[in-house]
Amino acid sequence: MIQEIKEYDSDTCSEIGIRIQDIRESRHMKAIELASYLGIGKNQMSRIESGKANCTIPQLYCIAQILDCSADFLLFGEEHMNYSPEMVELVNNLKMVTGRIEGEIKNSLLKTTNQKR
């Protein structure tokens, strides 16, 4: 359940723009390239990233796909997925099993390496 609803303001717009810019740069993409995908000019892309202009929902949808990140992350700075207790238990069990398998593989490789010596 959401405990607090934050208003969309200029700070929120700036935070979203900064996240878009940070992710774009981490993907080694130029602003003009992203702008081109979105069908907007370099100046408009700059205004979105600086928080001086809002991006539209269709633009946000495309940005998330182009930058290979979630719109949830772009909007909020974190994933806001709600998982059922069953799903959390399943993921934890998978992590445990994966850890065991990795350990067994490492042990097997060590034995093989030691046998070759």
Side-chain angles (χ1 to χ4, degrees):
M1 185 97 203
I2 298 174
Q3 296 177 4
E4 175 186 347
I5 296 179
K6 183 180 173 187
E7 292 291 324
Y8 186 89
D9 56 20
S10 61
D11 289 340
T12 305
C13 188
S14 292
E15 291 166 5
I16 292 168
I18 289 168
R19 281 191 286 275
I20 291 170
Q21 183 178 30
D22 287 347
I23 295 170
R24 176 185 56 75
E25 288 175 348
S26 76
R27 305 289 194 264
H28 306 288
M29 179 181 279
K30 294 180 179 179
I32 190 71
E33 292 173 291
L34 183 54
S36 176
Y37 280 118
L38 299 174
I40 61 175
K42 179 182 165 190
N43 290 340
Q44 182 65 8
M45 189 73 247
S46 175
R47 290 177 47 74
I48 289 170
E49 290 185 344
S50 67
K52 294 177 182 166
N54 294 310
C55 63
T56 66
I57 291 174
Q59 288 169 339
L60 186 68
Y61 182 79
C62 290
I63 291 169
Q65 291 176 79
I66 293 163
L67 298 180
D68 191 29
C69 64
S70 71
D72 208 30
F73 178 78
L74 293 174
L75 291 171
F76 301 105
E78 59 186 51
E79 301 295 329
H80 277 78
M81 307 285 272
N82 292 320
Y83 298 106
S84 68
E86 295 83 10
M87 183 63 75
V88 171
E89 182 180 358
L90 177 63
V91 169
N92 288 334
N93 288 338
L94 285 171
K95 286 179 182 178
M96 187 172 56
V97 169
T98 302
R100 284 187 202 149
I101 292 170
E102 287 175 352
E104 290 174 13
I105 291 170
K106 286 178 185 176
N107 287 336
S108 178
L109 289 172
L110 284 173
K111 286 178 186 177
T112 303
T113 303
N114 289 335
Q115 289 173 354
K116 289 182 180 180
R117 290 182 187 178

